[in-house]
Amino acid sequence: MIRDVSFHTDEVGDENSISNAILAKRWLMSEGLTQVFCGEGKGKTTAAIGQAIRVASQGRSVFVIQFLKGKSGTELEYIKRLEPEIKLFSFEKSEEFFSDLTEDEQKEEIRNIRNGLCFAKKVLVTGECDHLILDEILGLIDTGIMSIEDLKGIIDAKPEDATLVLTGIHLTPEIAEMVDEVSQVMTVKSMAAVS
């Protein structure tokens, strides 16, 4: 999709008008993409949420669906304060991270997670939001809860003008081929590693 985006200012050289035009152009250029924030570093969800705040401030609707992080103590709890502009969903019932659950508890949560995946696809098909973040969805592939083909079905359901953001640690070459933009987050230096 190619967009012709032109901006005019009443006064040539008005730095504020030019700056606003550049920001608006950048925002329009990211509209309708499928993006990924991946890597071993911290900040993937934070980057996606920062983008969500920017999009919501433009009057567009944002949904965030979180996977594998349980229901308590998440950094996304703060986002609930921003409803209704940004809506947060988690279909998991347990307070614990998925990896900390027993096998029986994981089976129960897998059913809940699959409900979340169905909801994500419905949101895209019906055009309920302009910007959908599927937080830690790449981890669902790592754990075998969903397949790459399932993810492709979600990506294919995205309307042309909606933005879809996927986060997670591992990105396969096959998934990279399906998306428009990949941002890798890595830790260059960590004080936690210093003893």
Side-chain angles (χ1 to χ4, degrees), residues 3 7 19 24 32 41 51 69 87 104 134 152-154 157 166 184-186 190 194:
R3 291 188 180 95
F7 295 95
S19 178
Q51 190 179 67
K69 292 185 176 179
K87 295 181 181 172
D104 286 340
L134 300 177
K152 183 177 183 334
I154 290 172
L166 315 173
Q184 186 174 15
V185 178
M186 60 186 235
S190 173
V194 177

Side-chain angles (χ1 to χ4, degrees), residues 3 18 20 31 34 39 46 61 66 72 76 79 104 106 127-129 132 134 138 170 184-185 187:
R3 291 188 180 95
I18 293 170
N20 287 341
E31 182 180 312
T34 299
T46 304
S61 61
Q66 187 177 47
S72 69
L76 292 181
I79 295 300
D104 286 340
Q106 284 184 355
E128 283 185 60
C129 74
L132 176 61
L134 300 177
L138 299 179
H170 302 110
Q184 186 174 15
V185 178
T187 302

